[in-house]
Amino acid sequence: MGNSLLDKQQEQGANFAADSQIPLSFGNDEAARIAVQSGVALCDRSHWGRIRVSDADRLQFLHNQTTNQMQLLQSGQGCDTVFVTSTGRTLDLVTAYVEADSVLLFVSPGQASELMDWMDRYIFFADKVKLTDETENTVAFTLLGTDSAALLSQLGVQEIDNAPHASHQVINIQGLEIFLGVDSGLPTPGFTLIAPVSSGADLWHTLTQAGAVPMGETLWQELRIKQGRPMPGAELTKDYNPLEATLWQAVSFDKGCYIGQETIARLNTYQGVKQQLWGLHLEAMAAAGTPITLDDAKVGVLTSCVETSSGAVGLGYIRTKAGGNGLTVTVGETTAKVVNVPFATRGYLDA
């Protein structure tokens, strides 16, 4: 990320995580929260990874590597898909954008290098597949909120209202060539913009001048937990499979073979999903990894928890037999109500 972008964000009140360039907050969390609900917020997601997969076998390769149907996608289309192990355990949830001669993968923070290594081990001598990590050469900003399309329209971007999830195009904003994807990373309506590092400061300035309210990583984490987006190292680990993580929209059951397919198909066919990711409204904060109990019996584990203006919220896996929405459970020393989260169905949830 260029220093000029950092300077621009500091001018707007950003404070950063130690030894990183990730804005934690702009000192305006409540204004940004309101903007997500009824306006436009702008989040810097440049610390997420961007991997380009190119050459003739790119779609077949990704089709065989991940859970969703890739081969039928045309240029300008995209989807969410999951990298899994041979036993169907999750590595990462990614958004795949199919372009004319390549596929751009938008991957979780810290996962680009691991996924590059993972894919590389499955590229054999005759395979025409090339991997390029573009994370350091680009920036990624996300607009979140019901007025996101209107803000882009104000900047000259047309025909994006009601565009399908993960569809995308190259746009021009005040002379800057920008990749625009229909996806906020959350059920909240929005768009993700990817540009060269050299364009980062100008693009950020243009978007905020047009009315987007800067928001930091702290609020992003609050939103993703409230809305139920699972993340590597928390909900997406080798302890869980995509169906347990409620990533049904990222799994195709009629696409044929892929790594981990046999396990996932068997779970679906024989209703073998024995635990599920749920939201939790807690009476008090609890640490990730705290057991979830019901009638003194362990039924699950807390995976994420954050304090919000309306109390502590979390995510956790709970055994199917224990129940679900509306259930009251014990989490360590506190109690919690189990609630639905909208990420699996992309249903909109107010911030």
Side-chain angles (χ1 to χ4, degrees):
M1 195 189 309
N3 288 334
S4 55
L5 173 59
L6 213 63
D7 293 341
K8 181 66 64 178
Q9 292 171 337
Q10 287 176 326
E11 289 172 10
Q12 295 173 336
N15 60 78
F16 297 87
D19 301 320
S20 85
Q21 297 179 348
I22 305 169
L24 291 179
S25 173
F26 289 82
N28 65 342
D29 286 355
E30 187 55 34
R33 189 179 290 108
I34 292 171
V36 173
Q37 293 175 349
S38 58
V40 191
L42 175 64
C43 183
D44 187 348
R45 294 172 71 198
S46 300
H47 56 297
W48 291 59
R50 286 153 312 273
I51 301 172
R52 189 167 300 279
V53 184
S54 55
D55 218 335
D57 296 332
R58 61 193 180 278
L59 284 176
Q60 178 68 53
F61 176 74
L62 289 171
H63 189 85
N64 294 339
Q65 289 290 314
T66 68
T67 58
N68 217 340
Q69 169 62 259
M70 297 293 298
Q71 284 183 303
L72 300 182
L73 294 177
Q74 303 296 312
S75 179
Q77 297 179 322
C79 68
D80 289 340
T81 191
V82 186
F83 281 88
V84 292
T85 68
S86 58
T87 56
R89 304 296 182 167
T90 56
L91 296 173
D92 194 16
L93 168 67
V94 311
T95 301
Y97 300 108
V98 176
E99 299 187 84
D101 55 4
S102 65
V103 180
L104 181 62
L105 302 179
F106 196 71
V107 312
S108 298
Q111 299 302 301
S113 179
E114 290 189 26
L115 289 181
M116 289 278 287
D117 291 344
W118 176 266
M119 286 187 282
D120 188 61
R121 74 179 70 171
Y122 291 101
I123 300 175
F124 301 108
F125 181 74
D127 293 337
K128 295 180 179 179
V129 178
K130 180 181 178 182
L131 306 176
T132 307
D133 187 346
E134 298 186 350
T135 307
E136 295 301 317
N137 300 324
T138 56
V139 294
F141 305 148
T142 293
L143 297 169
L144 304 97
T146 52
D147 291 345
S148 297
L151 183 144
L152 289 171
S153 178
Q154 173 188 330
L155 294 172
V157 183
Q158 304 300 322
E159 299 180 1
I160 54 175
D161 279 324
N162 303 314
H165 170 70
S167 60
H168 53 92
Q169 59 181 295
V170 175
I171 62 172
N172 189 289
I173 296 179
Q174 296 189 0
L176 302 175
E177 189 172 278
I178 310 295
F179 175 94
L180 176 71
V182 182
D183 176 33
S184 73
L186 297 171
T188 297
F191 301 87
T192 292
L193 300 89
I194 299 172
V197 166
S198 58
S199 301
D202 288 341
L203 179 59
W204 184 271
H205 176 76
T206 296
L207 294 171
T208 53
Q209 285 294 107
V213 178
M215 65 171 267
E217 178 70 8
T218 300
L219 181 54
W220 166 268
Q221 287 295 330
E222 176 185 322
L223 294 176
R224 79 97 186 163
I225 292 171
K226 289 177 72 173
Q227 299 188 21
R229 182 189 173 112
M231 293 290 286
E235 294 77 31
L236 301 181
T237 74
K238 294 179 182 179
D239 293 326
Y240 308 109
N241 64 64
L243 305 187
E244 292 171 335
T246 66
L247 298 178
W248 295 83
Q249 84 281 5
V251 178
S252 169
F253 294 104
D254 56 8
K255 61 174 280 187
C257 293
Y258 60 90
I259 292 175
Q261 183 263 346
E262 183 178 347
T263 298
I264 293 172
R266 190 166 58 245
L267 288 169
N268 181 53
T269 300
Y270 298 105
Q271 297 182 335
V273 180
K274 297 194 167 40
Q275 58 186 340
Q276 178 183 321
L277 187 65
W278 291 94
L280 295 158
H281 288 174
L282 298 94
E283 293 295 326
M285 282 289 291
T290 301
I292 299 172
T293 59
L294 180 65
D295 299 327
D296 296 325
K298 183 180 178 182
V299 295
V301 63
L302 182 71
T303 55
S304 295
C305 191
V306 65
E307 188 70 61
T308 78
S309 58
S310 56
V313 296
L315 292 171
Y317 285 95
I318 297 175
R319 292 189 182 277
T320 306
K321 289 183 178 179
N325 187 45
L327 187 70
T328 298
V329 295
T330 300
V331 184
E333 301 298 318
T334 191
T335 58
K337 183 177 180 180
V338 178
V339 297
N340 286 315
V341 288
F343 186 79
T345 58
R346 292 277 171 179
Y348 181 63
L349 180 73
D350 287 342

